[in-house]
Amino acid sequence: MTAVEEVTQALRSSILDGERPAGSRLVEADLCAQYGVARHSLRAALRALAGEGLVVIETNRGARVARLTGEEIVALFELRTALEVEAARIALERGPLPASVHAALAVLERACADGAWGAINAAHNGLHRAIVEAAESPRIAAAHASLDGELKLFMNQLEPLWSAERMAADHAALVRGLERDGPTVLRGHLAESAAALVAAEGDAGRPHRVGGAVAR
């Protein structure tokens, strides 16, 4: 692994684990000293992370950890809904959700019991990925996988609003609801957290429509 790949991986992990909060500055001199790399290697790593949507690089202002705006949260919700609800519909047409979904829920519940948000974030994505993969559609799964970084940023911004206990309870209810009531339950589940985060982000008071409701 090259120096650029190593620092890219280390920075990516620190962002997705919530060690570097959304919107926080990434000071080149500090990062070069921390990771023991030259400035050109660090800049290459930052460009790679910008390509993944995890970092924003601004001319004459440097780099910062990306922060999803209200509009971006709504756009992410709309795409997640299209992919996840359709995947759930396909999976449920075949019968009950597979054991992999219940296993992923158990992982999330254990992570929530431990309370470490980085592990909760990873387990949360794992459960939603398991629901998508239950459809056995490689194209839907690939499209959903491309959202992984944004979903983890979303979860990091959601942390102050959602307790670990609520995260576990909401997702246990989601899995039960999917099997009892069908894929429309998933739309409501996704809309609830998206609307809460849009409202918290504020966007200077601009309203955004999430799942048919207006979040302000």
Side-chain angles (χ1 to χ4, degrees):
M1 186 179 292
T2 67
V4 172
E5 290 170 338
E6 287 181 355
V7 72
T8 300
Q9 180 174 297
L11 271 172
R12 182 189 296 112
S13 296
S14 69
I15 292 169
L16 296 181
D17 289 345
E19 296 172 17
R20 301 183 188 277
S24 60
R25 291 187 63 222
L26 298 168
V27 181
E28 288 188 4
D30 294 345
L31 294 174
C32 286
Q34 179 179 349
Y35 295 114
V37 295
R39 194 171 291 252
H40 66 85
S41 295
L42 176 68
R43 287 177 175 172
L46 291 173
R47 287 194 297 271
L49 293 172
E52 297 176 21
L54 299 180
V55 167
V56 174
I57 300 174
E58 298 174 311
T59 304
N60 299 323
R61 298 186 65 182
R64 58 180 171 81
V65 177
R67 184 176 193 90
L68 298 175
T69 65
E71 289 182 357
E72 289 168 335
I73 293 164
V74 172
L76 179 61
F77 157 76
E78 291 171 343
L79 184 50
R80 284 187 74 189
T81 299
L83 295 171
E84 294 190 25
V85 172
E86 177 62 9
R89 183 193 67 77
I90 294 170
L92 289 166
E93 282 184 347
R94 298 193 179 102
L97 292 173
S100 57
V101 173
H102 294 278
L105 173 61
V107 171
L108 176 58
E109 289 175 328
R110 288 195 296 271
C112 289
D114 291 340
W117 194 261
I120 292 170
N121 195 337
H124 167 269
N125 276 20
L127 173 56
H128 283 270
R129 183 167 57 250
I131 292 170
V132 169
E133 290 176 349
E136 299 180 5
S137 168
R139 288 198 172 189
I140 294 177
H144 190 266
S146 71
L147 303 178
D148 189 69
E150 284 184 283
L151 290 179
K152 287 180 176 175
L153 286 177
F154 175 92
M155 283 289 290
N156 285 343
Q157 288 176 228
L158 189 67
E159 180 182 5
L161 308 177
W162 237 255
S163 68
E165 293 79 8
R166 181 177 181 182
M167 188 67 62
D170 283 355
H171 285 81
L174 169 64
V175 172
R176 289 195 305 270
L178 279 170
E179 295 190 315
R180 183 184 64 239
D181 302 319
T184 55
V185 171
L186 184 51
R187 174 182 288 275
H189 171 89
L190 297 176
E192 183 180 14
S193 57
L197 189 52
V198 167
E201 290 303 305
D203 267 20
R206 293 174 58 199
H208 296 281
R209 188 167 294 277
V210 181
V214 175
R216 296 181 182 273

